[in-house]
Amino acid sequence: AFEKETGAKVNFNYAGCAQLLTQMEINKQGDVFVGGSLNDMDIAQQKGFTDQYVEVAYHIPAIAVPKGNPAAITCLADLAKPGVRLILGDEKTNAIGKKGAKIFEKNNLQAAIAKNVVARGATVNEIVTQIGMKQGDAGLVFEDNGVDAKNIEIIPIPQEQNAIDKVPVCVLSFTDNKELAQAFVNFVKSDEGKAIFVKHGFKTIDQ
């Protein structure tokens, strides 16, 4: 939609946020950064990559299970049952891994969960793929990951048990196209931009 309105070509670089932040620190390239969590944007600010950002949508962790839910998972506590095979994100390098650690700590499940982890994905998309291929009984992803995924089912986590984050967007300080980059951020936070987030399973900040 932005490309149609402006005629500008948008090039995307998809990766875990830790990897993206490292790339930016080394290359000092890019126009706009969309983080997976507010913590990612805090790091970007500390490193001088940006001085302000906007919050556009909620990033809501959820349980993912293979289609048909063969292990009959219904809630967080089920993930701690003996024998359940879990695929989680890396606790140090990606948003869902960090959120998972907070969620399990909040619900006093860390020890039991640790015994059930069979793999850790570098990105949330890897976790979706692995769960869809039934390499694990369950994993943690974000609610929006279930919208286009045909081989998984999403089980919501109650808000009081969850650790909900927000999706921040900013113009990068080393952009060569500041005006166009700001136009993209303005589009993302507009009603039209937020409608695209909703289409892909997000709840926007004003909902």
Side-chain angles (χ1 to χ4, degrees), residues 57 147 191 193-204 206-207:
V147 173
D191 289 343
K194 287 182 177 180
I196 296 172
F197 273 89
V198 172
K199 179 182 177 181
H200 290 282
F202 288 88
K203 292 181 176 67
T204 53
D206 55 358
Q207 283 186 299

Side-chain angles (χ1 to χ4, degrees), residues 8-183:
K9 173 66 177 175
V10 179
N11 297 305
F12 295 96
N13 180 12
Y14 295 105
C17 283
Q19 184 178 345
L20 290 174
L21 288 164
T22 298
Q23 288 176 3
M24 287 188 284
E25 188 163 26
I26 294 171
N27 301 325
K28 297 294 190 294
Q29 293 179 348
D31 302 305
V32 172
F33 174 49
V34 181
S37 70
L38 294 180
N39 181 65
D40 298 323
M41 201 58 73
D42 288 341
I43 295 172
Q45 286 188 309
Q46 291 166 14
K47 292 181 178 294
F49 299 164
T50 188
D51 57 5
Q52 60 182 348
Y53 61 88
V54 295
E55 301 167 1
V56 294
Y58 294 102
H59 228 177
I60 305 175
I63 299 167
V65 298
K67 204 73 174 176
N69 193 7
I73 302 296
T74 63
C75 61
L76 275 177
D78 287 345
L79 304 184
K81 290 181 178 178
V84 174
R85 299 172 302 144
L86 297 181
I87 299 175
L88 303 177
D90 190 295
E91 295 180 359
K92 295 181 179 179
T93 62
N94 66 38
I96 194 60
K98 294 174 183 177
K99 282 295 162 189
K102 289 184 178 180
I103 290 168
F104 299 137
E105 181 179 1
K106 182 177 183 179
N107 294 278
N108 297 313
L109 295 172
Q110 313 99 298
I113 292 293
K115 295 177 182 178
N116 288 347
V117 177
V118 296
R120 288 192 178 272
T123 67
V124 70
N125 289 333
E126 284 186 16
I127 299 170
V128 170
T129 298
Q130 291 171 316
I131 294 297
M133 294 173 65
K134 299 184 178 180
Q135 294 177 5
D137 298 313
L140 280 192
V141 298
F142 291 107
E143 282 188 359
D144 54 279
N145 294 123
V147 173
D148 298 319
K150 297 179 180 179
N151 296 321
I152 67 168
E153 297 176 14
I154 294 294
I155 300 170
I157 299 171
Q159 186 171 343
E160 65 272 13
Q161 297 178 359
N162 215 335
I164 296 172
D165 214 321
K166 296 175 181 177
V167 177
V169 184
C170 74
V171 174
L172 292 169
S173 58
F174 36 77
T175 177
D176 292 326
N177 304 290
K178 191 165 186 176
E179 188 173 321
L180 188 60
Q182 186 60 56

